[in-house]
Each structure stands twice: as structure tokens, then as C-alpha cells.
């Protein structure tokens, strides 16, 4: 699981996370290998908590980290104000006939089955995702997702649930039939924001591995 740095400057680092690598350290010595700790080894002067956002363990692609406290504060503000625009590409199971759409589903954590999320229109919090079909590849469909909210497992649940696409992401072991430890075909392919140092528009893309 090689970690590639797509960009680095005095304020931020952009990593290309492989599927299967944690974003941040977990509990226990077996969960310390992650994007944050690998970047710390390479850049020991980075702040203690540099992650501005996270990707699921089996999601690959672009992850943004701040090198300074000021950069972390500014980038976090942009996330809170929904000024950071992210795009993902996925392969889903089955053929999607529609060309594009928007999914609005409220969901919440299942306390007895963490980290599984369940659809709950009453107590759940809304998640909103725009999607576009990029092409049909045999029995799979390639989809571009643009999340407008940043809920846990949002794209995975929106893809799999019957009220969403009804088509689980290939390799998703929680919401589909993916195998434990196997790769999942969900990749954070593009991110756009304003640079925390001077406010200039900044965007970067990552090559899709599937």
C-alpha cells in the first residue's frame, strides 16, 4: 500500500491514499499505519492533527492535510461552509439506465452494528449526492459522484440503498458483497478549494485505479 504525495507546500499536503490504508490512527498498535502517520514520518514538522477530512479505509484517492494550525483552521472552515468541492468515481454493480440525478436520503448510525449506517427518514440526518453515469462496462456502471454533504458512508449507502441507485459499489463489504480486506471501487478523484495562504482557487486530480 504505497502512499503517494500529489502536492506539498508550506501550508498543506495532498496525499493519494491507497485502498486499505487508514486515514488516521485507530486504537491499538495494529491500527497505527495510516496516512497521517506516514506523512508525519516524511514531514516531521507537520502539526499533530493534520487531517482536515477522512476517507473510509477502503476508499482510495485524494486526502487533504494541513501543515500549519492556520491552514487547518481555514480549510476546516471551507469544509464547514461547503466551499470544498469533491468528486468521486465508482464502479457499481448492475446497469444504471438513467444518465444523472440527485439522491436525498436521511440516515444514521446503527448503534448495535457500527459503523453501519441505516436509512431513517425520521431520526436520520439528510445526505445529498449528485451523480452522473459515465458509462456501462459489462455488468457494471461507472458513476461520478458529487457529494453536497459529507456524511459517514454517504456515497456507499446512496449507491446501495433501493431509494438511491440500488446498486452497491463493487467491493463494498458493508453494503454489498465485497470480501473482507478486498479493494473497493470508490476513488476520490478530484478536489477543489481555496488555498489557505492566499485564497487562490486550487484544484487537483488523481488517476483512477480501476
Amino acid at each position: 500500500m504505497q502512499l503517494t504525495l500529489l502536492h506539498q507546500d508550506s501550508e498543506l499536503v495532498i496525499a493519494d491514499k491507497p485502498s486499505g490504508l487508514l486515514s488516521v490512527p485507530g486504537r491499538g498498535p495494529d491500527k497505527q499505519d495510516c496516512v497521517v502517520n506516514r506523512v508525519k514520518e516524511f514531514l516531521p514538522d507537520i502539526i499533530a492533527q493534520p487531517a482536515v477530512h477522512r476517507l473510509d479505509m477502503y476508499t482510495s484517492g485524494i486526502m487533504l492535510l494541513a501543515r500549519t494550525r492556520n491552514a487547518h483552521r481555514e480549510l476546516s472552515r471551507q469544509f464547514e461552509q461547503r466551499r470544498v468541492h469533491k468528486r468521486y468515481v465508482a464502479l457499481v454493480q448492475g446497469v444504471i439506465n438513467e444518465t444523472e440525478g440527485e439522491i436525498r436520503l436521511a440516515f444514521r448510525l446503527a448503534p448495535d452494528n457500527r459503523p453501519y449506517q441505516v436509512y431513517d427518514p425520521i431520526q436520520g440526518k439528510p445526505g445529498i449526492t449528485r451523480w452522473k453515469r459515465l458509462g456501462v462496462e459489462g455488468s457494471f456502471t461507472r458513476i461520478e459522484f458529487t457529494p453536497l454533504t459529507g456524511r459517514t458512508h454517504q456515497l456507499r449507502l446512496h449507491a446501495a440503498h433501493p431509494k438511491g441507485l440500488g446498486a452497491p459499489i463493487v467491493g463494498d463489504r458493508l453494503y454489498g458483497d465485497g470480501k473482507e480486506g478486498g479493494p473497493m471501487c470508490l476513488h476520490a478523484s478530484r478536489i477543489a478549494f481555496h488555498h489557505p495562504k492566499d485564497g487562490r482557487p486550487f484544484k487537483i486530480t488523481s488517476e483512477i485505479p480501476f
Side-chain angles (χ1 to χ4, degrees):
M1 294 187 295
Q2 181 179 355
L3 179 69
T4 302
L5 298 186
L6 299 174
H7 173 83
Q8 60 174 307
D9 58 39
S10 63
E11 302 298 318
L12 56 87
V13 177
I14 301 176
D16 198 353
K17 187 183 89 65
S19 176
L21 183 66
L22 290 168
S23 292
V24 299
R27 295 180 180 178
D30 60 327
K31 295 182 178 179
Q32 297 307 300
D33 185 20
C34 62
V35 173
V36 164
N37 284 345
R38 289 193 188 187
V39 170
K40 282 183 176 181
E41 290 181 3
F42 184 70
L43 299 170
D45 63 336
I46 200 168
I47 58 175
Q49 304 293 337
V52 182
H53 66 119
R54 302 180 185 184
L55 297 177
D56 290 345
M57 181 175 181
Y58 295 109
T59 301
S60 58
I62 295 171
M63 183 172 162
L64 182 59
L65 302 97
R67 291 190 70 170
T68 67
R69 291 186 179 88
N70 287 339
H72 193 283
R73 186 181 306 111
E74 169 58 22
L75 292 170
S76 296
R77 185 179 66 84
Q78 290 186 43
F79 269 96
E80 291 170 2
Q81 297 177 352
R82 299 183 183 178
R83 296 176 59 203
V84 178
H85 302 287
K86 296 182 290 181
R87 289 183 183 173
Y88 294 74
V89 171
L91 275 182
V92 301
Q93 297 176 344
V95 175
I96 305 298
N97 293 318
E98 295 82 2
T99 57
E100 61 184 15
E102 184 174 282
I103 301 167
R104 292 174 175 260
L105 290 179
F107 52 99
R108 61 170 174 79
L109 176 69
D112 298 329
N113 190 22
R114 296 172 180 266
Y116 193 81
Q117 306 285 319
V118 294
Y119 171 65
D120 187 339
I122 305 301
Q123 297 182 346
K125 294 183 179 180
I128 306 171
T129 304
R130 291 176 182 158
W131 65 272
K132 179 171 65 175
R133 187 184 67 186
L134 298 179
V136 175
E137 303 174 16
S139 58
F140 305 122
T141 305
R142 187 171 292 262
I143 299 289
E144 180 184 82
F145 288 115
T146 303
L148 303 186
T149 54
R151 304 288 315 289
T152 300
H153 294 179
Q154 176 174 316
L155 301 182
R156 298 167 68 179
L157 186 141
H158 280 185
H161 199 277
K163 290 182 177 293
L165 291 181
I169 294 171
V170 173
D172 191 337
R173 66 183 182 87
L174 277 182
Y175 304 97
D177 57 5
K179 296 180 180 180
E180 179 71 32
M184 182 171 65
C185 293
L186 177 62
H187 186 76
S189 61
R190 180 182 183 273
I191 193 168
F193 56 94
H194 288 84
H195 197 282
K197 185 174 183 179
D198 54 18
R200 73 182 187 277
F202 191 101
K203 65 180 179 180
I204 197 166
T205 60
S206 166
E207 183 176 355
I208 299 161
F210 50 82

